[in-house]
């Protein structure tokens, strides 16, 4: 079996992923406390868990239980290049779900990103 070209590696389900370019990607979801959003903290998660939550945030949750897919107009996504490294970003579903991917190897807290201080709602839809 030959050696695998490192450029074709996929994410591994780890909280921290190192890329061939030297970037260190780290994945976090807000550990929201519905009764006290100010008490929310970032919890490290696997890249797969982060991706599933990110994809779920793209669609509106139907209160009537319908399976129809609609774009989530409350969703927001912001680049965090200056705070958390090039290509890093924050996303929120406009409610309790939010995530951060850092590319500088640091935690969101070390980058100054407190969940309660980040925007929860977008007024114009996803960006």
């Amino acid at each position: 079996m030959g050696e695998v070209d490192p450029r074709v590696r996929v994410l591994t389900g780890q909280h921290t992923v190192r890329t061939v370019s030297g970037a260190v990607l780290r994945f976090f979801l807000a550990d929201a406390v519905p009764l006290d959003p100010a008490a929310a903290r970032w919890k490290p998660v696997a890249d797969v868990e982060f991706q599933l939550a990110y994809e779920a945030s793209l669609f509106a949750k139907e209160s009537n239980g319908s399976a129809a897919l609609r774009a989530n107009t409350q969703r927001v996504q912001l680049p965090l290049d200056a705070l958390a490294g090039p290509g890093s970003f924050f996303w929120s579903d406009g409610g309790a779900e939010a995530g951060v991917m850092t590319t500088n190897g640091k935690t969101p807290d070390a980058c100054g990103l407190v969940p309660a201080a980040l925007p929860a709602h977008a007024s114009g839809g996803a960006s």
Side-chain angles (χ1 to χ4, degrees):
M1 199 178 227
E3 187 174 325
V4 175
D5 183 342
R7 292 176 292 182
V8 298
R9 289 188 182 150
V10 296
L11 298 179
T12 62
Q14 300 299 311
H15 160 246
T16 302
V17 175
R18 298 180 192 285
T19 68
V20 293
S21 65
V24 177
L25 311 179
R26 296 185 76 185
F27 303 91
F28 301 86
L29 293 177
D31 183 13
V33 180
L35 299 176
D36 186 8
R41 299 289 178 260
W42 294 113
K43 103 179 156 171
V45 295
D47 54 2
V48 171
E49 186 178 355
F50 180 88
Q51 184 67 28
L52 291 172
Y54 176 86
E55 289 174 4
S57 77
L58 295 170
F59 302 99
K61 294 180 174 96
E62 296 291 338
S63 59
N64 63 4
S66 169
L69 292 178
R70 291 185 304 116
N72 181 358
T73 60
Q74 298 299 310
R75 187 177 181 283
V76 63
Q77 183 167 324
L78 303 169
L80 299 173
D81 294 7
L83 295 173
S88 59
F89 65 96
F90 161 82
W91 62 263
S92 169
D93 70 350
E97 297 290 323
V100 168
M101 182 187 82
T102 65
T103 62
N104 61 4
K106 296 181 181 178
T107 66
D109 294 322
C111 297
L113 302 166
V114 180
L118 291 165
H121 297 279
S123 58
S127 60

